[in-house]
Amino acid sequence: MRKLSYLFCFLLLGIFVIGSPADAQELDYKPKVLLVTAHPDDDALFSATVFKTTHLLNGVVDLALMTNGEGGYKYSTLGNFIYNRELDKEEVGRAYLPGIRKRELMAGGKIVGLRNYFFFDQVDKEYSKDIDNPLKRWDTKIVIRRLQNILKQEQYDFVFTMTPSEDTHAHHKASAILALRAIKKLPKDERPTVLATDITSSVDDSTSYTQLEGYPISKLAVEESPLQFDRRQTFGHEERLNYKIIASWVIAEHKSQGTMQLLMGRGNVEQYWPYAMNDSARIEKAHTFFEAVNEVPIYRNPDIDFDNE
């Protein structure tokens, strides 16, 4: 009897140590997040935070993708051997990459737990840093109207954009600006908290970005520190695992994009900067959310029968 009592206590202790979704996180709601990206491989930027949100905080994450990704044909030479097509020839790549890259995106999305995808299929003509390039080529009125409808219908708690800094791809800048414009059109009490995302090497790194010139809507709340998740957070046997694994898995799915694979293992910290258009209550909500993201541990999901997978 005494041995059984000891066993019961040990098992009970194990439950508290391992944790569960209910007792491991501090949120009193299931977070809903929308990612707004430019290209089908930009999802890797958010991968660790998304994984924790969907798998450990019982949240929902969707993705709105602006372009069809056809412009990636220049980097598809190795993809030729995977997909048995000459994808690095412009006419072939532009014809087949939109479908291929969507499938790659959804394969990576399955890993991190993305729920839904909204494809806007705007033209991916060429690389440029000039934001006028996409803003004059894309049907921005339709993009903003559709984003606005999605935001109204889904009522997200948070929207993550790419940081629209001067030296980044024009498509990245444009996707962020259009998301911000759509959010601004919502009544103030219906707006999600919107954050600009970047990857750094250290939690002590900081961005020099404050606002994209000519676009005051893109201004950050400069008095705020970034909300962060360090992918090097460890777990598992002897703390030998970390969340950089998740990012690497996602990157590995984008096999049509050779240069994407060169980012494997680079970047340690996901940083999320509040835009100035957020009010203080929404920024505080984001702080609470990222506290939960950082604190919730890996647990063995009781709803999964691991022995019969």
Side-chain angles (χ1 to χ4, degrees):
M1 178 66 75
R2 182 173 297 176
K3 288 183 179 179
L4 288 175
S5 298
Y6 288 156
L7 178 59
F8 175 79
C9 291
F10 175 79
L11 291 174
L12 186 61
L13 178 62
I15 291 173
F16 285 107
V17 170
I18 295 172
S20 68
D23 61 32
Q25 50 95 357
E26 301 174 351
L27 302 178
D28 57 2
Y29 66 98
K30 293 183 178 181
K32 290 187 71 175
V33 181
L34 178 68
L35 315 178
V36 180
T37 64
H39 307 110
D41 53 10
D42 294 334
D43 58 318
L45 180 66
F46 320 89
S47 52
T49 296
V50 170
F51 180 89
K52 274 207 148 187
T53 300
T54 59
H55 288 80
L56 306 180
L57 292 173
N58 295 321
V60 166
V61 182
D62 297 335
L63 185 144
L65 173 64
M66 291 297 107
T67 77
N68 62 14
E70 66 182 82
Y73 71 90
K74 295 177 181 178
Y75 311 109
S76 294
T77 303
L78 286 174
N80 294 347
F81 300 93
I82 301 297
Y83 296 108
N84 199 30
R85 297 189 184 279
E86 293 181 292
L87 296 173
D88 55 351
K89 288 187 174 180
E90 182 171 4
E91 65 276 15
V92 178
R94 290 193 182 278
Y96 288 98
L97 278 177
I100 288 171
R101 297 189 70 184
K102 284 176 183 176
R103 292 193 293 274
E104 291 177 339
L105 168 64
M106 289 187 281
K110 185 175 181 181
I111 291 168
V112 297
L114 292 181
R115 181 189 67 166
N116 199 8
Y117 303 85
F118 303 103
F119 295 114
F120 287 72
D121 288 317
Q122 299 300 299
V123 63
D124 182 4
K125 181 63 176 174
E126 60 194 3
Y127 177 83
S128 171
K129 291 185 178 180
D130 182 1
I131 192 172
D132 285 341
N133 191 314
L135 289 184
K136 289 181 178 178
R137 282 197 170 113
W138 296 356
D139 194 333
T140 57
K141 289 183 179 179
I142 287 180
V143 169
I144 291 173
R145 190 182 309 125
R146 187 178 175 206
L147 274 174
Q148 193 178 355
N149 289 337
I150 291 168
L151 292 165
K152 283 182 178 179
Q153 180 177 342
E154 295 293 342
Q155 298 184 331
Y156 295 101
D157 298 293
F158 308 99
V159 171
F160 299 162
T161 76
M162 310 183 79
T163 299
S165 56
E166 193 67 45
D167 61 350
T168 193
H169 198 311
H171 294 166
H172 297 175
K173 290 192 276 258
S175 66
I177 295 301
L178 294 177
L180 291 166
R181 287 176 176 174
I183 291 169
K184 193 171 183 179
K185 285 180 175 291
L186 297 175
K188 287 187 177 181
D189 60 349
E190 295 180 13
R191 294 177 185 174
T193 309
V194 58
L195 307 168
T197 314
D198 206 352
I199 293 286
T200 66
S201 296
S202 166
V203 293
D204 298 321
D205 290 344
S206 185
T207 182
S208 60
Y209 172 83
T210 57
Q211 177 186 316
L212 181 63
E213 184 177 357
Y215 295 87
I217 196 172
S218 68
K219 183 180 180 181
L220 296 185
V222 293
E223 70 281 2
E224 293 288 333
S225 299
L227 304 163
Q228 304 187 100
F229 179 67
D230 192 331
R231 293 174 173 177
R232 295 168 297 182
Q233 184 180 108
T234 59
F235 58 89
H237 178 64
E238 296 181 347
E239 299 293 314
R240 297 289 297 275
L241 305 177
N242 66 38
Y243 290 90
K244 293 185 74 170
I245 297 167
I246 299 298
S248 294
W249 283 352
V250 171
I251 290 171
E253 293 296 341
H254 296 281
K255 292 179 175 60
S256 72
Q257 300 303 295
T259 54
M260 188 66 183
Q261 307 305 308
L262 297 176
L263 299 177
M264 195 83 75
R266 293 175 58 184
N268 297 318
V269 181
E270 296 178 13
Q271 289 191 340
Y272 297 81
W273 296 83
Y275 284 100
M277 67 185 297
N278 296 299
D279 61 30
S280 58
R282 286 184 175 83
I283 293 176
E284 183 58 35
K285 181 176 182 178
H287 277 281
T288 303
F289 169 69
F290 273 90
E291 286 173 8
V293 168
N294 277 277
E295 292 173 7
V296 63
I298 282 283
Y299 65 93
R300 186 171 283 264
N301 191 332
D303 296 328
I304 298 177
D305 185 355
F306 289 91
D307 294 330
N308 293 311
E309 280 291 285

